[in-house]
Amino acid sequence: MIITPKNTFEPNREYAFRIVKDNIINMEIKPGSLIGEQEIATQLGISRTPVHEAFLELSKSKIVNILPQKGCSVSLIDYELIKESRFLRIAVEGALLKEACDVATEEDIQKLYANIKLQQFYIENDPPKFLDLDNEFHKDIYVACNKMQCFYMVGLMSLHFDRVRSLSLKTIKDVKLVSDHKAIADAIAAHDKDAVEAAFTKHMSRFDLDWDIIKKAYSEYIAE
């Protein structure tokens, strides 16, 4: 498990949630794995209670299953849950991107472009870092629209989709993702709602092309 430092003023529950979530998404904790509260608490240097609370929060999205007296098991990759999380993201972010065409400031737009420059380097050199930048890119759009409650709601359910995105980067390393993000940023900068809708639709459709490759390469992680 990869453990990053605790952020300033980050509560232990949020710290445990972040570390376990990130390791599940990046496949450091494999689908089907058993993880215990005391095991995680010891590694993080915190008590069991915040780890238990983090497990409960993760279980709301069904990315983990609570096992009484044992901790929890990490769910296998479920295609139906991926489709549901992707549906939610398309519905919310599709509307959000159109709003961004109206409300994003020049500072917001330049922040997106700065992120894209980093993406161009990390997609080939450090896929987990690229995934962090990808998530930050989309988060910045929520910030620009002042819709952070929507971001947290979508983010919890998106764990299923994010795990497949991580596998896709390891298997395919699709540099077209960076050009997709640039097309989205360009459309926002041009206040072009039709263009941003087309760019986002193309971006989200890449999963359809990748799924068969992922399913074949990682069959042991896929639920029947």
Side-chain angles (χ1 to χ4, degrees):
M1 189 167 77
I2 296 174
I3 300 175
T4 55
K6 186 178 177 185
N7 297 326
T8 305
F9 305 122
E10 185 177 31
N12 285 342
R13 184 192 67 80
E14 292 181 13
Y15 178 47
F17 177 88
R18 176 172 63 84
I19 295 298
V20 175
K21 170 184 70 70
D22 288 351
N23 279 275
I24 289 174
I25 289 173
N26 292 330
M27 303 298 288
E28 295 295 329
I29 301 177
K30 302 289 191 292
S33 298
L34 296 175
I35 49 178
E37 292 177 4
Q38 188 57 59
E39 169 195 3
I40 300 297
T42 299
Q43 290 188 58
L44 298 183
I46 60 178
S47 68
R48 287 183 60 173
T49 299
V51 176
H52 176 72
E53 292 171 347
F55 283 1
L56 288 175
E57 185 68 14
L58 287 164
S59 72
K60 292 177 182 178
S61 68
K62 299 185 178 179
I63 199 73
V64 301
N65 299 303
I66 301 295
L67 303 174
Q69 310 303 318
K70 294 183 180 180
C72 66
S73 65
V74 179
S75 303
L76 293 174
I77 295 171
D78 187 320
Y79 184 66
E80 291 303 315
L81 287 173
I82 295 168
K83 287 200 302 182
E84 187 172 351
S85 65
R86 188 163 162 253
F87 172 83
L88 177 62
R89 185 171 168 187
I90 289 171
V92 175
E93 286 194 24
L96 193 76
L97 286 165
K98 290 182 178 180
E99 182 174 335
C101 290
D102 291 330
V103 304
T105 65
E106 183 62 26
E107 182 180 356
D108 294 327
I109 293 165
Q110 290 308 312
K111 193 173 183 181
L112 296 178
Y113 284 128
N115 181 296
I116 290 167
K117 286 183 179 179
L118 292 173
Q119 290 178 29
Q120 290 170 336
F121 173 79
Y122 283 106
I123 193 167
E124 293 287 354
N125 299 283
D126 189 344
K129 177 62 176 177
F130 172 81
L131 189 61
D132 288 341
L133 288 165
D134 187 341
N135 289 333
E136 192 69 26
F137 176 86
H138 290 275
K139 180 181 179 180
D140 286 343
I141 296 169
Y142 283 85
V143 171
C145 296
N146 193 26
K147 295 290 190 299
M148 290 309 294
Q149 289 304 311
C150 291
F151 173 76
Y152 295 124
M153 177 189 71
V154 172
L156 188 60
M157 190 61 195
S158 288
L159 296 178
H160 299 279
F161 188 44
D162 288 345
R163 189 160 55 165
V164 175
R165 288 167 59 214
S166 177
L167 288 177
S168 177
L169 288 171
K170 293 177 181 180
T171 308
I172 302 163
K173 295 185 178 180
D174 193 349
V175 295
K176 292 189 290 295
L177 294 173
V178 180
S179 60
D180 287 351
H181 290 148
K182 186 174 185 305
I184 289 170
D186 287 345
I188 293 173
H191 312 290
D192 190 334
K193 295 181 180 180
D194 290 337
V196 83
E197 180 179 19
F200 182 60
T201 298
K202 182 178 181 180
H203 182 54
M204 295 300 291
S205 70
R206 296 205 185 278
F207 167 77
D208 298 322
L209 302 175
D210 297 347
W211 174 244
D212 287 340
I213 298 172
I214 293 167
K215 187 167 61 172
K216 183 176 180 180
Y218 298 99
S219 59
E220 70 272 25
Y221 298 148
I222 310 298
E224 295 293 334

